[in-house]
Amino acid sequence: MVFPSFLIAVFLVFLGNCTNYSTTSSVQAPPTLISITNNGNSNFTIKVRAQNPELIFQGYRLFEAPTEALAQNPTDLNQGAQCLLAQASIVQPIEYLFEVDPSSNPNTAGVSCRIFATITPGNYISLRTLGLAVNLANSTSSYRVSPPSNTLIVP
């Protein structure tokens, strides 16, 4: 069985000599907001079209502001309300329903993502996709956010 041992040796030599890897984080595609519906009691349903099949995909972050520009370009990208999805939840290019609700109620049937937040009618909302960014040099990780989605006015 020299052949399998030879392949293992070649593989180990390749790994040891591989220095060509990217240090640039992958940029996730932003979702597209289709509509928002007020369900009463500070509960809203957002219809979203998204496609993020990359392995680094983690979920979404919602931003709300009194102007369209501030919703799309907040001063701190870490301040939005987020919805993290399980790794098994690979997002395919279809429409999804997200629920925005400050209560701890269980998801409504058909809801893909629940965001525990309060949003104000008349304000603008925007979503960004979260991707996992790993720094191999110092073994740290953080979330990298996508460019902003379009905005919708909260009814």
Side-chain angles (χ1 to χ4, degrees):
M1 295 197 120
V2 174
F3 185 68
S5 300
F6 174 74
L7 285 177
I8 291 171
V10 169
F11 181 70
L12 290 175
V13 168
F14 174 75
L15 281 179
N17 292 325
C18 181
T19 58
N20 297 326
Y21 58 89
S22 174
T23 57
T24 305
S25 299
S26 175
V27 176
Q28 298 286 302
T32 301
L33 302 179
I34 306 297
S35 66
I36 182 169
T37 305
N38 187 338
N39 302 325
N41 297 327
S42 301
N43 179 300
F44 295 86
T45 302
I46 304 172
K47 190 182 287 188
V48 177
R49 185 159 182 86
Q51 176 181 353
N52 292 289
E54 298 89 352
L55 292 176
I56 62 171
F57 170 74
Q58 299 294 302
Y60 299 95
R61 189 169 286 158
L62 175 75
F63 297 94
E64 177 194 18
T67 68
E68 184 176 13
L70 285 174
Q72 287 187 312
N73 302 299
T75 55
D76 185 355
L77 292 176
N78 295 313
Q79 293 302 311
Q82 60 193 28
C83 165
L84 300 180
L85 300 176
Q87 273 307 108
S89 300
I90 302 297
V91 177
Q92 297 302 316
I94 60 174
E95 289 181 1
Y96 292 91
L97 290 179
F98 288 7
E99 197 165 50
V100 180
D101 188 351
S103 74
S104 58
N105 295 334
N107 282 0
T108 303
V111 170
S112 302
C113 188
R114 185 176 183 95
I115 300 172
F116 297 99
T118 301
I119 54 178
T120 306
N123 278 354
Y124 291 81
I125 59 165
S126 176
L127 278 176
R128 289 179 183 246
T129 302
L130 298 174
L132 185 63
V134 178
N135 186 336
L136 297 175
N138 62 11
S139 299
T140 61
S141 65
S142 62
Y143 290 125
R144 179 173 168 90
V145 295
S146 73
S149 70
N150 58 313
T151 60
L152 293 176
I153 298 175
V154 179

